[in-house]
Amino acid sequence: MERGSFFDKLISLIYPDTCPYCGKIIDSGKTKCNECEKDIKCIFSVRKILGEVVCVSPYRYSGRVRTAIRKFKFRRYKRYSWNFAMEIVKSIEARFPDKKFSAVTYVPLHKYRKNDRGYNQSRLLAAEIGRKLDIPVQEFLRKIKNNSPQHRLKNLKDRVQNVKGVYEAVCRGENRDGTVILCDDIVTSGSTLVECVKMLKKAGFKDILCVTVANTVREVNENK
Ligand SMILES: [Zn+2]
């Protein structure tokens, strides 16, 4: 749905938009309140994932951003997908103003996990990014093994091992020459994105840009 349509304005009168980071009511079309706009720094981080493939994230995973992402992911605050996606698009445009994208895809959940939660937060982000950039959202990956959640594993070796052979590419007949956006909620060790990028490359995709709402690791190339 187009933000700003008549129907949307009607909905926002009944259910006003709230700031994901503090809960205050905000004007429709704004991603956060004025105070959070001042307090929460966009870092536009660019992190190396695999070879030339990088991950762009607007935020660091801490404080109010962390709380908002956890509400989005575990407490059904699905509407935050719009606020987060707008910040992701801003980061892409700041870092790669000339890049043209052919599609957006996302890190899939295993069907059992999806049934538990009822939604895939990364897919919701991809849908909003696709709408904003006017590109199709495509399911290029499938999760074929129900592994342990990555956040339960602290050590890098275990995280890398835990995602091996877990994803497969399911794309057929698509244009593989354009740049594809691969979307997830956060990037921690990067192991999940590395594995998904490997599968997309194996399926013939030439250029991939990973995006997440937040990066848990402080990078040397961050904006000050
Ligand atoms: Zn706020």
Side-chain angles (χ1 to χ4, degrees):
M1 187 175 27
E2 255 309 296
R3 303 285 290 195
S5 69
F6 173 74
F7 183 68
D8 217 36
K9 282 190 182 121
L10 199 66
I11 291 284
S12 71
L13 284 177
I14 309 165
Y15 303 104
D17 289 338
T18 52
C19 173
Y21 312 103
C22 71
K24 250 186 238 152
I25 292 175
I26 50 174
D27 293 339
S28 171
K30 287 198 74 174
T31 57
K32 49 173 133 42
C33 74
N34 292 339
E35 226 161 87
C36 290
E37 189 78 58
K38 262 187 266 154
D39 293 353
I40 302 173
K41 217 168 49 169
C42 270
I43 56 166
F44 301 123
S45 84
V46 177
R47 215 171 123 179
K48 274 205 173 123
I49 296 296
L50 183 73
E52 299 294 298
V53 180
V54 296
C55 179
V56 177
S57 322
Y59 294 119
R60 192 189 326 284
Y61 189 62
S62 65
R64 278 178 259 178
V65 171
R66 179 176 180 273
T67 310
I69 294 173
R70 291 184 64 83
K71 278 161 91 175
F72 170 56
K73 196 166 168 176
F74 301 115
R75 290 175 50 203
R76 311 194 59 80
Y77 282 74
K78 295 193 245 176
R79 61 177 189 272
Y80 290 173
S81 58
W82 180 81
N83 307 65
F84 294 147
M86 294 309 108
E87 307 287 359
I88 289 175
V89 169
K90 251 191 258 169
S91 304
I92 297 173
E93 287 169 348
R95 290 298 192 170
F96 301 99
D98 302 320
K99 244 192 204 316
K100 296 274 174 280
F101 301 98
S102 55
V104 53
T105 193
Y106 50 91
V107 173
L109 290 180
H110 192 270
K111 58 184 177 193
Y112 298 149
R113 186 88 48 84
K114 196 174 161 196
N115 289 347
D116 272 3
R117 196 186 292 169
Y119 63 99
N120 177 353
Q121 71 281 358
S122 302
R123 189 183 197 291
L124 297 179
L125 289 171
E128 295 292 352
I129 293 169
R131 199 167 299 159
K132 178 74 180 165
L133 294 178
D134 198 23
I135 51 173
V137 182
Q138 295 196 285
E139 189 181 3
F140 285 154
L141 294 159
R142 183 165 55 195
K143 194 165 187 184
I144 48 176
K145 278 188 206 157
N146 195 15
N147 59 350
S148 317
Q150 287 287 84
H151 64 254
R152 294 221 185 113
L153 308 168
K154 295 293 166 232
N155 139 347
L156 177 64
K157 216 174 118 205
D158 292 345
R159 281 172 173 256
V160 171
Q161 204 49 46
N162 189 46
V163 291
K164 280 253 160 72
V166 161
Y167 301 98
E168 70 175 12
V170 287
C171 30
R172 272 170 198 81
E174 287 85 2
N175 165 22
R176 321 259 161 120
D177 293 329
T179 305
V180 167
I181 297 175
L182 170 63
C183 171
D184 204 2
D185 51 358
I186 59 170
V187 54
T188 304
S189 69
S191 323
T192 301
L193 288 173
V194 166
E195 197 60 23
C196 289
V197 165
K198 275 186 191 165
M199 294 304 117
L200 290 172
K201 289 256 179 200
K202 216 167 118 186
F205 287 96
K206 308 271 184 308
D207 194 24
I208 300 147
L209 176 68
C210 301
V211 299
T212 64
V213 182
N215 176 0
T216 65
V217 180
R218 183 181 280 271
E219 289 293 295
V220 281
N221 60 356
E222 275 176 15
N223 279 352
K224 292 288 162 309

